[in-house]
């Protein structure tokens, strides 16, 4: 299978005074060219930390302890910082949740977009400015000629997110990582931004890694899904298979807890308890204290990673026989 | 017919915008601009809309946290906007609140006992020596049991979900009739959100509560709320029973909100085709003339730019403020058909 990105056994820990937080523990994932892949999970499960680690955007006390990140045949974790800087924002671009913390409030929007183009495409000032205008037009910002002169605070949340996307896609990245890109936005603006991302991806042929807690967004816009819990990938499946028949009890519980607009849920089904403290994660399966189907081996030893039919993967003792 | 538990009549809340103590205000933000609604005993009413539509301001006006510019708020048929302070206290006892962010809404320097004892003391409901027991019992009700064990802890020792439970216990302390919940589950993770929704439904039965549930999450509305009121730019655009509105919205804004809400079903999601609503919500300082939604409306006609549509009554107690509300099936049919063959 042709792969654009292959993450193998990525481990990232946070060294805090209270102890070592095992935020990302042996995460492996693959993304094919032009595929839309979701990494879903609840707050603190390590999904953002995974993305930051593979972009090497971590600094102490966060440390990448091991693993490989293969991108187009190169191990990103072995590149020099200068080489990595050309990958970042060039071949792999990232869109964050809060555009206001990413945009510099004291520079004009056009200059910030032009800078990104300038660095990665080696263009001169004049050409980069023209490129910035083109990039803003590309993300369907109304009146881009005026908007290049605006400061970020003069734009609405949706428009800022468009500017961020303009910067991200200006260099035609092969992979776009979007970390909760619409969480801060209203639902109609969210729909606009997601539609824009889909259009641009189709046009450029970029792959997408969507990091989200929103199963609705994942269902609607992604092809394949990785479910993360307490620093580990617990299930991997194609989007249709996952929503039709989750193979890990955590995924099943998440689906039961999510509410849909097309029918009324008579009784709310909740996963009791809360995600574990990752300084001292539970022994065995990290989900077992909350798992409705936990049995004898779950609390004793780490569950096997089992490949099921259709190439699906689940990290659960329930599938042990399927090995 | 008996009066509804809570009634809001033609309420307006305007704020001066800009300016300060040197400059005169630059204009007026019409946050809530002529809204009427009613909440019946034992009902869960959803107030939905996007940021800036005025739903939070309306909730705050009902709680007495902002003064209305005009209009009336009636509790069990009697006006509360011009009550004497002593009588106001009685009203406040009956209407309590829960906010979005459980991290901001608890005092970090007070123990849980102090937080819960405050409303008991304010309203003189429980003798001082019984407060500890009463507070422990409240915690038991909200699923923090045994309550005794949590009384002397501080907010930072709890998770987000547990803090929201404490906020709910504080609201319950004075045995209110109405709880105004402003985005009460929006900041919570899915698994915790389901726990809190389950709790809110259980408490509603136990304490015969009515909720005014302010939210932007239509998934939550569908499963929790009996009735929905949709707001846009300070005005009510549609109101009615949840199931009825979700199957046949009579306002294009409601339709658009439903179409934009992601569905937790990849097949259904791929089968529906929706045209995203263009543009942003305009400024509440200069709302568009005519129908306030017309600049973003896919079916806007000349009349929409000229005349503000009245809130018209439809079957089953529904109301809609759209010139074309009566023709609703023709423009929503396509979307609805898609949603139904999924179900």
């Amino acid at each position: 299978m042709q792969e654009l990105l292959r993450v193998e056994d990525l481990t990232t820990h946070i060294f805090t005074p209270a102890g070592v937080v095992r935020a990302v523990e042996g995460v492996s994932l693959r993304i094919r060219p032009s595929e839309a892949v979701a990494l879903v999970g609840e707050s603190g499960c390590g999904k953002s930390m995974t993305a930051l680690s593979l972009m090497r955007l971590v600094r102490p006390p966060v440390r990448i302890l091991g693993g490989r990140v293969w991108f187009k045949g190169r191990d990103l974790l072995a590149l020099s910082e200068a080489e990595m800087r050309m990958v970042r924002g060039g071949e792999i671009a990232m869109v964050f949740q809060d555009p206001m913390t990413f945009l510099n409030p004291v520079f004009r929007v056009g200059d910030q977009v032009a800078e990104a183009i300038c660095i990665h495409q080696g263009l001169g000032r004049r050409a980069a400015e023209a490129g910035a205008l083109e990039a803003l037009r590309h993300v369907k910002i109304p009146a881009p000629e005026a908007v290049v002169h605006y400061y970020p605070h003069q734009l609405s949340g949706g428009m800022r997110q468009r500017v961020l996307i303009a910067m991200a896609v200006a260099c035609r990245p092969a992979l776009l990582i979007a970390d909760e890109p619409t969480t801060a936005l209203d639902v109609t603006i969210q729909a606009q931004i997601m539609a824009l991302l889909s259009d641009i991806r189709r046009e450029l042929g970029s792959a997408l890694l969507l990091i989200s807690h929103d199963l609705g967004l994942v269902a609607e816009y992604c092809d394949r899904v990785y479910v993360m819990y307490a620093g580990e990938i617990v299930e991997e499946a194609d989007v249709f298979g996952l929503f039709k028949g989750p193979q890990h009890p955590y995924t099943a519980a998440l689906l039961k807890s999510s509410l849909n607009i097309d029918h009324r849920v008579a009784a709310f089904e909740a996963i009791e308890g809360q995600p574990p403290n990752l300084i001292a994660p539970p022994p065995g399966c990290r989900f077992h204290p909350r798992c409705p189907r936990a049995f004898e081996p779950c609390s004793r030893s780490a569950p096997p990673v089992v490949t099921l039919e259709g190439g699906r993967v689940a990290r659960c003792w329930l599938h042990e026989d399927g090995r | 017919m008996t009066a509804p538990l809570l009634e809001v009549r033609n309420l307006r809340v305007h704020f001066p915008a800009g300016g300060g103590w040197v400059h005169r205000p630059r204009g007026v933000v019409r946050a809530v601009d002529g809204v009427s609604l009613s909440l019946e005993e034992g009902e869960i009413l959803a107030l939905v809309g996007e940021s800036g539509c005025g739903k939070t301001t309306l909730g705050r006006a009902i709680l007495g946290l902002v003064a209305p510019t005009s209009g009336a708020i009636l509790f069990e048929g009697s006006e509360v906007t011009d009550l004497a302070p002593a009588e106001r206290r009685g009203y406040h006892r009956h209407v309590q609140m829960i906010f979005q962010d459980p991290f901001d809404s608890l005092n970090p320097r007070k123990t849980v006992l102090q937080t819960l004892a405050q409303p008991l003391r304010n309203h003189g409901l429980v003798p001082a020596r019984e407060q500890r027991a009463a507070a422990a019992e409240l915690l038991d009700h909200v699923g923090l049991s045994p309550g005794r064990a949590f009384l002397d802890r501080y907010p930072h020792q709890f998770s987000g979900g547990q803090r929201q439970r404490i906020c709910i216990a504080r609201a319950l302390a004075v045995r209110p009739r109405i709880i105004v919940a402003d985005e009460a589950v929006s900041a919570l993770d899915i698994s915790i959100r389901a726990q809190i929704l389950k709790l809110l439904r259980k408490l509603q039965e136990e304490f015969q509560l009515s909720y005014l549930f302010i939210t932007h999450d239509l998934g939550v509305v569908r499963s929790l709320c009996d009735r929905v009121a949709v707001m846009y730019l300070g005005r009510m655009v549609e109101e009615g029973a949840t199931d009825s509105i979700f199957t046949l919205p009579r306002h294009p804004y409601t339709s658009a909100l439903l179409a934009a809400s992601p569905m937790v079903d990849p097949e259904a999601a791929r089968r529906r085709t929706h045209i995203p609503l263009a543009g942003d919500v305009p400024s509440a300082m200069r709302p568009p003339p005519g129908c306030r939604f017309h600049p973003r409306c896919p079916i806007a006609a000349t009349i929409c730019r000229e005349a503000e549509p009245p809130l018209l009554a439809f079957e089953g107690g529904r109301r809609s403020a759209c010139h074309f509300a009566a023709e609703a099936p023709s423009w929503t049919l396509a979307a609805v058909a898609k949603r139904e063959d999924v179900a």
Side-chain angles (χ1 to χ4, degrees), chain B residues 211-230:
Chain B
Y211 293 132
L212 181 64
F213 203 83
I214 302 171
T215 186
H216 67 275
D217 186 333
L218 294 179
V220 171
V221 170
R222 182 79 198 245
S223 288
L224 182 76
C225 304
D226 307 309
R227 243 164 17 96
V228 189
V230 184

Side-chain angles (χ1 to χ4, degrees), chain B residues 210-273:
Chain B
S210 305
Y211 293 132
L212 181 64
F213 203 83
I214 302 171
T215 186
H216 67 275
D217 186 333
L218 294 179
V220 171
V221 170
R222 182 79 198 245
S223 288
L224 182 76
C225 304
D226 307 309
R227 243 164 17 96
V228 189
V230 184
M231 284 182 73
Y232 187 79
L233 261 190
R235 303 281 286 180
M236 173 98 80
V237 296
E238 179 157 20
E239 189 196 342
T242 306
D243 286 339
S244 151
I245 283 192
F246 277 58
T247 24
L248 180 65
R250 280 198 180 276
H251 195 286
Y253 179 61
T254 317
S255 270
L257 276 184
L258 285 168
S261 300
M263 295 177 89
V264 194
D265 177 343
E267 287 173 27
R270 277 162 179 72
R271 227 173 305 161
R272 69 176 175 171
T273 46

Side-chain angles (χ1 to χ4, degrees), chain B residues 3-315:
Chain B
L5 185 58
L6 183 80
E7 196 181 349
V8 171
R9 282 189 196 154
N10 203 17
L11 195 78
R12 282 173 213 277
V13 184
H14 294 177
F15 299 108
W21 54 279
V22 177
H23 301 286
R24 302 196 33 211
R26 282 182 289 116
V28 171
V29 176
R30 299 160 176 273
V32 177
D33 209 14
V35 169
S36 302
L37 58 80
S38 61
L39 178 67
E40 303 291 336
E41 182 94 54
E43 185 179 50
I44 307 184
L45 173 65
L47 197 53
V48 304
E50 297 179 284
S51 338
C53 72
K55 57 190 195 297
T56 291
T57 305
L58 178 55
R60 292 174 67 87
I62 290 171
L63 290 162
L65 297 174
V66 292
T69 309
S70 67
I73 298 167
L74 295 92
F75 181 74
E76 293 188 309
S78 47
E79 177 87 44
V80 298
T81 26
D82 46 33
L83 285 178
E87 291 168 314
R88 265 198 98 84
R89 176 168 290 205
Y91 167 69
H92 285 310
R93 198 198 127 184
H94 292 302
V95 186
Q96 289 290 311
M97 65 211 106
I98 313 169
F99 296 106
Q100 170 170 0
D101 191 342
F103 291 84
D104 279 349
S105 47
L106 289 171
N107 186 334
R109 301 206 282 190
K110 280 186 174 180
T111 63
V112 174
L113 174 64
Q114 287 169 322
T115 294
L116 295 179
Q118 187 76 52
L120 295 175
R121 205 160 43 237
N122 289 353
H123 293 274
L125 297 174
V126 177
R129 60 194 155 72
E130 287 168 29
Q131 276 171 9
R132 203 177 164 85
E137 194 192 332
L138 282 168
L139 289 179
D140 287 329
H141 275 299
V142 298
L144 287 172
S145 55
R148 283 174 274 114
F150 296 97
L151 286 175
D152 299 311
R153 294 197 196 168
Y154 288 89
H156 74 265
Q157 295 171 289
F158 294 91
S159 68
Q162 288 174 323
R163 285 186 218 204
Q164 199 58 301
R165 288 175 193 265
I166 296 168
C167 293
I168 294 171
R170 176 178 59 188
L172 282 178
V174 293
R175 301 292 136 114
R177 306 275 298 279
I178 298 172
I179 287 186
V180 177
D182 190 355
E183 301 282 8
V185 295
S186 306
L188 305 173
D189 270 317
I190 316 172
S191 68
I192 308 297
R193 183 184 71 180
Q195 293 174 6
I196 298 294
L197 289 172
K198 203 169 157 179
L199 173 69
L200 288 173
R201 199 182 258 178
K202 180 190 85 137
L203 294 173
Q204 190 215 5
E205 283 164 22
E206 278 177 23
F207 294 90
Q208 274 101 52
L209 294 166
S210 305
Y211 293 132
L212 181 64
F213 203 83
I214 302 171
T215 186
H216 67 275
D217 186 333
L218 294 179
V220 171
V221 170
R222 182 79 198 245
S223 288
L224 182 76
C225 304
D226 307 309
R227 243 164 17 96
V228 189
V230 184
M231 284 182 73
Y232 187 79
L233 261 190
R235 303 281 286 180
M236 173 98 80
V237 296
E238 179 157 20
E239 189 196 342
T242 306
D243 286 339
S244 151
I245 283 192
F246 277 58
T247 24
L248 180 65
R250 280 198 180 276
H251 195 286
Y253 179 61
T254 317
S255 270
L257 276 184
L258 285 168
S261 300
M263 295 177 89
V264 194
D265 177 343
E267 287 173 27
R270 277 162 179 72
R271 227 173 305 161
R272 69 176 175 171
T273 46
H274 63 253
I275 305 144
L277 215 51
D280 277 315
V281 181
S283 157
M285 271 172 76
R286 286 173 301 277
C291 173
R292 294 182 181 198
F293 183 56
H294 87 255
R296 301 178 77 196
C297 183
I299 60 162
T302 321
I303 184 176
C304 307
R305 284 181 273 278
E306 288 160 1
E308 172 134 31
L311 200 54
L312 295 173
F314 289 93
E315 78 291 341

Side-chain angles (χ1 to χ4, degrees), chain A residues 42-43 156 159 186-192 195 213-217 219-222 239-240 243-244 254-255 257-274 290, chain B residues 50-51 159 162 189-195 197-198 201 218-220 222-226 243 246 257-258 260-267 269-270 272 274 276-280 296 339 342:
Chain A
E42 299 179 277
S43 335
S156 67
M159 284 301 145
D186 276 316
V187 59
T188 61
I189 308 297
Q190 165 172 287
Q192 289 174 6
H213 67 279
D214 186 334
L215 289 167
L217 276 188
E220 199 141 351
Y221 297 100
C222 293
V239 71
F240 299 105
F243 284 81
K244 203 174 283 167
L254 268 190
L255 287 175
S257 308
S258 57
L259 302 168
N260 217 336
I261 51 164
D262 67 348
H263 62 273
R264 189 185 183 93
V265 172
F268 294 116
E269 299 207 36
I271 314 175
E272 295 307 325
Q274 23 181 323
R290 305 175 76 192
Chain B
E50 297 179 284
S51 338
S159 68
Q162 288 174 323
D189 270 317
I190 316 172
S191 68
I192 308 297
R193 183 184 71 180
Q195 293 174 6
L197 289 172
K198 203 169 157 179
R201 199 182 258 178
L218 294 179
V220 171
R222 182 79 198 245
S223 288
L224 182 76
C225 304
D226 307 309
D243 286 339
F246 277 58
L257 276 184
L258 285 168
S261 300
M263 295 177 89
V264 194
D265 177 343
E267 287 173 27
R270 277 162 179 72
R272 69 176 175 171
H274 63 253
L277 215 51
D280 277 315
R296 301 178 77 196
R339 217 168 291 138
V342 170

